[in-house]
């Protein structure tokens, strides 16, 4: 496996990137249940998991190096598919509990088995005073391989039934016989009754013993071995729901310090909390907030400033946030403003009214760091995704498309034209397709490989250098 540190886009040239593989049926065949709702690499990047609105989890495994071509690592092939969550109905509240997989998080590997957490449950937010309550469950799954089976039991027959002991006249030594490789996925633990509102985040702590889950109003701390209770570490629910002014939108543990975590809000602020300070972290240690420019104030200001995702850098020094129009990099040591702000699709400022009417303004885009924290990635509309090189300050817009993405062919940078002169390949802002949106993205932890979820399709792109090496 190549451990080349991930580099970045080379300005206006997208020569770094080509389509590596594409999984999924053509979009005209798509059903609602097939729409991908989360994407996550494991800690080595050898496994990639996706969750969908139908409650399924699909795990892809990277093909190992071949002996003939030691540097040739293959594609990500389907390793296992299983139903994580089923649709349920709460008859007391007359509410349907959706099976959609909101988040998947891999646990650091401790032995030959792999483990991941998945959570379901989604509800529409019809204004902050009317948060829908539904029961969510978080499940811990164990993924193991079996290529041998025991034979020669003394007390059981071949079907596993107990023998009549009077027929057992001699003892034999059981032996392990080879069999076709079988991947077994088993639910090890179910963490229930921890949340009544929409679960937006799961984050595994660096202590590898605890994890936290966040919903719109509360953050809970769980021990991975204890399913029947959790500790509430943040609670912003007011005594009177009429006084509710903001909700929690995302949260994450610090990658190295097990006592620190951050959570973001619908008002655009970040709160860094230290669990050593008190058991209930309602009082934050640091508040990161950018003062609003009064000249830019509009009816949409609060909606577009809501943070939809927050990610610590691998180094732990920075935080990356995504709001509707921008991605921002914050230094943990500077609370007053971000150190970097990148415009994702500033050309939509004039379209906010129509985006509000079709509910697109409430879309929640994710963001991701590359392995060396030098490049950041996030999604946009029209199946576009954006990359920003923090060192050169250059950016590029690329497209996840069946039509324009030929396997191993270099991706052409895309450009959105707001008016005036148009270049040959420019696309007008008025012809963008807002039903095609890249909300979920993931970057391989050490290599220049990215996974992009576009409706029901999983695109895996690789930089051209890596592709030619492999």
């Amino acid at each position: 496996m190549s451990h080349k540190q991930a580099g970045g886009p080379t300005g206006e040239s997208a020569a770094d990137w080509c389509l590596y593989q594409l999984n999924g049926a053509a979009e005209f065949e798509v059903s609602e249940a097939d729409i991908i709702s989360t994407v996550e690499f494991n800690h080595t990047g050898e496994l990639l998991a996706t969750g969908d609105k139908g409650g399924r989890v699909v795990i892809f495994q990277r093909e190992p190096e071949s002996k003939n071509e030691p540097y040739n690592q293959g594609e990500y092939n389907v390793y296992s598919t299983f139903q994580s969550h089923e649709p349920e109905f709460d008859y007391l509240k007359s509410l349907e509990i959706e099976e959609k997989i909101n988040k998947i998080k891999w646990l650091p590997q401790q032995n030959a088995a792999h483990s991941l957490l998945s959570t379901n449950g989604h509800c529409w937010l019809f204004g902050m005073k009317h948060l829908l309550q539904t029961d969510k469950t978080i499940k811990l799954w164990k993924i193991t391989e079996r290529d041998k089976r025991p034979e020669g039991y003394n007390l059981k027959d071949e079907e596993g039934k107990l023998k009549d002991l009077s027929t057992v006249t001699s003892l034999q030594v059981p032996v392990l016989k080879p069999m076709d490789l079988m991947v077994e996925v088993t639910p090890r633990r179910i963490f229930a009754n921890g949340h009544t509102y929409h679960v937006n985040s799961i984050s595994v702590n660096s202590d590898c013993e605890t994890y936290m889950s966040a919903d719109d109003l509360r953050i809970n701390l769980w021990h991975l071995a204890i399913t029947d209770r959790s500790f509430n570490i943040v609670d912003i629910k007011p005594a009177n729901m009429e006084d509710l002014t903001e909700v929690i939108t995302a949260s994450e543990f610090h990658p190295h310090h097990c006592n620190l975590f951050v959570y973001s809000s619908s008002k655009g602020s970040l709160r860094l909390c230290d669990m050593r300070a008190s058991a209930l972290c309602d009082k934050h240690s640091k508040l990161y907030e950018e003062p609003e420019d009064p000249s830019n104030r509009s009816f949409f200001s609060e909606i577009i400033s809501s943070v939809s995702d927050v990610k610590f850098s691998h180094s732990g020094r920075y935080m990356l946030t995504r709001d509707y129009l921008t991605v921002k990099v914050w230094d943990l040591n500077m609370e007053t403003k971000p150190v970097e702000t990148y415009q994702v699709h500033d050309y939509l400022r004039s379209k906010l009214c129509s985006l509000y009417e079709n509910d697109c303004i409430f879309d929640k885009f994710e963001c991701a760091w590359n392995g060396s924290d030098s490049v950041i990635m996030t999604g946009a509309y029209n199946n576009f995704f954006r990359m920003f090189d923090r060192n050169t300050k250059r950016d590029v817009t690329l497209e996840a498309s069946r039509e324009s993405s030929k396997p191993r062919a270099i991706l052409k940078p895309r450009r959105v034209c707001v008016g005036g002169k148009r270049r040959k390949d420019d696309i007008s802002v008025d012809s963008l397709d807002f039903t095609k949106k890249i909300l979920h993205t993931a970057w391989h932890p050490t290599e220049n490989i990215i996974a992009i979820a576009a409706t029901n399709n999983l695109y895996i792109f690789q930089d051209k250098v890596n592709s030619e090496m492999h």
Side-chain angles (χ1 to χ4, degrees), residues 31 34 46-47 102 108 150 165 195 199 226 229 235 262 269 300 313 325-326 330 332 352 363 417 428 450 460-461:
S31 70
D34 295 329
E46 296 307 291
L47 296 176
N102 277 355
L165 295 183
H195 292 280
V199 179
I226 302 168
R229 67 180 182 273
D235 188 347
V262 68
S269 59
F300 305 109
S313 61
L325 294 177
T326 67
W330 300 79
L332 256 66
L352 292 179
D363 285 333
C417 168
S428 164
I450 55 176
I460 297 177
F461 297 99

Side-chain angles (χ1 to χ4, degrees), residues 392-411:
T392 64
K393 303 303 177 196
R394 289 175 173 170
D395 63 86
V396 67
T397 301
L398 301 172
E399 183 180 6
S401 159
R402 284 177 177 270
E403 293 73 36
S404 61
S405 303
K406 294 189 179 72
R408 306 298 189 274
I410 293 168
L411 290 183

Side-chain angles (χ1 to χ4, degrees), residues 160-211:
K161 294 176 183 172
L162 281 173
K163 293 179 183 176
D164 180 355
L165 295 183
S166 61
T167 64
V168 179
T169 56
S170 62
L171 293 177
Q172 54 186 339
V173 178
V175 293
L176 289 172
K177 293 280 184 74
M179 59 179 274
D180 291 338
L181 179 67
M182 192 166 73
V183 179
E184 291 182 334
V185 180
T186 50
R188 294 306 303 271
R189 294 186 181 91
I190 296 176
F191 305 87
N193 306 320
H195 292 280
T196 50
Y197 301 102
H198 168 73
V199 179
N200 54 51
S201 306
I202 308 175
S203 181
V204 180
N205 202 344
S206 58
D207 64 10
C208 298
E209 291 184 357
T210 56
Y211 75 92

